[in-house]
Structures are given as structure tokens and as C-alpha cells.
Amino acid sequence: FILPFIEKAFDITTGMTLIELRDPKQPILRELQQRAPGTYNHSLNVASIAENAAEAIGADTLLTYVGCLYHDIGKMNKPMYFIENQSGGPNKHDKLTPAMSLLVIVGHVKDGSEMAREHGLPKSLRHFIEAHHGTTLVEYFYRRAREQAAQAGEERSAEQILIDAAEQLPDEVDYRYPGPKPQTKEVAIVMMADAVESATRTLTDPTPARIDALVRQLANKRVMDGQVDECDLTFRELSTICESISKTVASSYHGRIRYSSDEKDAGKKSAEKKKEAAKTQAPAQTVPRDPGGE
């Protein structure tokens, strides 16, 4: 009975509280699963990746796992503006300007932080929500804004370009998350696992070598951008985290034995493709009719 008062007085989160918050029957997790099922599955995948990485360097695995479950709860307000919830449907960002899309994307951090306070989540979990993107650049919409500015500049006269050049080109600072940067190893792990889980979906042939190269590229990018400067993460631990994330992600893309039925179907499809290609490439020829009537 006195445990909640001790946690509030000393600003700590015990394992018993984390075990309770890990339960998928928690109201906020059930709401996330119903309103944004794609985000919920994404959170589960990130949790599995980050938990193994935290165990590899001796970090708090339970805190890391629970932090992953709640890190994207802010997406519940506008779930269809995030790709994992669109299910192949139309992209709502096609009708928005890059600046408006940026507000929606960045806004899920603020919305998640407010939801966490309303539901009384511990401060340690709120830090996962606020810092899992750090101050990284929203690259897609930043590049889109620059492309649109360049197209608009081509349509204007030379004098107008010189006058409005500074106003037209977007500033990189305006297209970054507000932060803060990760203050603990656990949050830094979640930042990398979140980026890798999303990026691997774009790989056409996710082989272990390509996955490992992608993981190290994203990790180096975060380091060079200064996102892990405020947490006590060493380069040795960073290398261990990359190895663990690569193995965990590669295991989810394991191969499958091809059965005889699959080989027959594949053979039929390839034969049909060859016939269609031959029809389109070969010139039309007149075939004499058989006197026998065939």
C-alpha cells in the first residue's frame, strides 16, 4: 500500500509498476490497439528489438520494453496520417503542404506526452514519448518543401527570386522534432530500434548483410547528429546495440522452405510470362491451314 507513495516521493518507478503497465489490458494500450492497430503492432516490434539490445549491454530490459509500448500513443489522435495505419489506402499528406504535414507528424510527441500525464504514467515512461525522436530532422517533408520551393522559384522572375530567396527556402531547424534528446541508454536504444524497424520495411531484399549495413548507417547518423550526446552511451555499447538489433531484425526476415506446390505455381507463372513476352516480341506470321481441317 505504501509503494505508490514511495514512488511519488522519490520519483522512481519500481518493477511492480512496470509489470502492471506492461499488461496489454491497460486502458490506454487497448485504446491504441483499437484506434491505431498498425502503430500498436509497430510498438510491439520495436519493443522486441529494443529489449534484446538492452539486455546485450546490461540496461533495464523491463523499462525499455514498457517504454516502447507507450512511445507512440500520441498517434491515436490522427492515426490515418501515419503510414503504418493506412493499409495501402490514400495518403492524407498528398493534400497537405509540407508545413502542415510537419505539424501533424511532430504533434504526436506532444499529444503522447499529454496523454501520459492524463493517465498518470511515470516520468520515466514520459521521457520515452518525448525523446524517442530527439531533435532529428523530418527528412521526407523537409526535402519535399525544398522541392516545392525550387519549383516555385523557377516560375518566378529573376528579381522576385533575389528578393524572396531567403523566404522561399525552408530552414532545416524548422523541420526538426522539438526534443529533448535521450537522457538514458534505454531511450537511446528505443530511438535506434524505432528508426530501424521503420526503415527495414522499405528494403526490397532484406538480407542480413543489408540489414546490418542499414542499422549501422542509421546509428552513425544519430551519433553524427548529436542525438546521443546527453546519455552515457559508449561506442562499445553502441556497437553491441547495432549487432543485437541486426540479429533480431534479420531473424524476423528468415527464409522459408519452398514446397513442391510453390515450385509448380512458380513454374506456371514463369511459363505464362514467357509466352506473353514471346507474343509481344515475335512478329505476326501467317500459318497455313492444315488440309486435314485442323
Side-chain angles (χ1 to χ4, degrees):
F1 294 101
I2 65 173
L3 189 58
F5 299 100
I6 294 176
E7 291 183 350
K8 290 182 179 180
F10 295 96
D11 195 17
I12 59 174
T13 307
T14 62
M16 294 182 64
T17 300
L18 292 175
I19 290 174
E20 292 179 0
L21 294 173
R22 184 174 180 171
D23 188 357
K25 294 182 180 180
Q26 289 288 333
I28 191 170
L29 292 181
R30 290 175 65 91
E31 186 179 1
L32 177 64
Q33 187 175 8
Q34 293 172 1
R35 296 175 59 181
T39 299
Y40 180 76
N41 292 329
H42 162 73
S43 300
L44 291 177
N45 294 335
V46 175
S48 177
I49 296 170
E51 184 182 29
N52 293 332
E55 184 178 4
I57 66 169
D60 192 337
T61 57
L62 181 59
L63 177 62
T64 304
Y65 188 92
V66 178
C68 290
L69 295 181
Y70 291 89
H71 80 285
D72 269 344
I73 58 175
K75 293 182 178 180
M76 284 190 291
N77 285 351
K78 300 178 180 67
M80 297 309 297
Y81 284 89
F82 298 91
I83 189 67
E84 65 266 21
N85 299 311
Q86 293 176 0
S87 302
N91 192 343
K92 290 184 175 294
H93 292 284
D94 294 338
K95 299 180 180 180
L96 300 179
T97 62
M100 290 298 298
S101 297
L102 176 72
L103 293 177
V104 175
I105 297 299
V106 174
H108 85 273
V109 175
K110 182 180 178 181
D111 294 342
S113 180
E114 293 176 354
M115 290 181 183
R117 288 187 176 88
E118 292 175 359
H119 288 78
L121 294 181
K123 185 178 179 180
S124 58
L125 293 185
R126 295 203 302 267
H127 185 53
F128 282 90
I129 299 172
E130 297 168 351
H132 72 277
H133 284 297
T135 58
T136 55
L137 178 67
V138 186
E139 295 185 11
Y140 177 79
F141 294 110
Y142 174 67
R143 293 175 181 173
R144 186 175 171 184
R146 290 187 65 89
E147 291 175 358
Q148 291 185 1
Q151 292 177 358
E154 292 177 356
E155 298 175 355
R156 297 190 175 193
S157 62
E159 294 180 357
Q160 290 176 333
I161 292 175
L162 293 175
I163 294 173
D164 300 334
E167 298 179 359
Q168 288 296 318
L169 291 178
D171 193 355
E172 182 178 315
V173 178
D174 297 332
Y175 281 79
R176 286 183 175 270
Y177 282 94
K181 297 179 181 179
Q183 306 293 318
T184 62
K185 297 179 181 180
E186 290 80 7
V187 180
I189 291 172
V190 174
M191 170 187 282
M192 297 178 191
D194 182 42
V196 170
E197 202 279 336
S198 301
T200 50
R201 297 175 183 270
T202 63
L203 292 178
T204 55
D205 186 16
T207 60
R210 291 185 177 180
I211 291 174
D212 184 69
L214 178 63
V215 171
R216 297 187 182 278
Q217 178 185 357
L218 293 174
N220 292 333
K221 194 173 184 179
R222 297 295 185 275
V223 172
M224 297 302 294
D225 198 23
Q227 299 301 319
V228 295
D229 290 350
E230 299 181 7
C231 63
D232 54 346
L233 193 67
T234 64
F235 283 106
R236 179 176 295 179
E237 290 173 336
L238 182 63
S239 178
T240 304
I241 290 170
C242 291
E243 292 178 3
S244 175
I245 292 177
S246 299
K247 291 179 181 179
T248 305
V249 175
S251 65
S252 63
Y253 289 98
H254 63 278
R256 185 175 69 88
I257 299 175
R258 184 180 293 275
Y259 296 97
S260 58
S261 58
D262 296 338
E263 294 177 354
K264 292 179 180 178
D265 294 339
K268 290 180 180 179
K269 290 181 180 178
S270 62
E272 291 176 357
K273 290 181 180 179
K274 290 181 180 179
K275 289 181 180 179
E276 292 178 358
K279 289 181 180 179
T280 56
Q281 294 177 1
Q285 298 179 356
T286 57
V287 180
R289 298 182 62 85
D290 190 351
E294 295 183 358

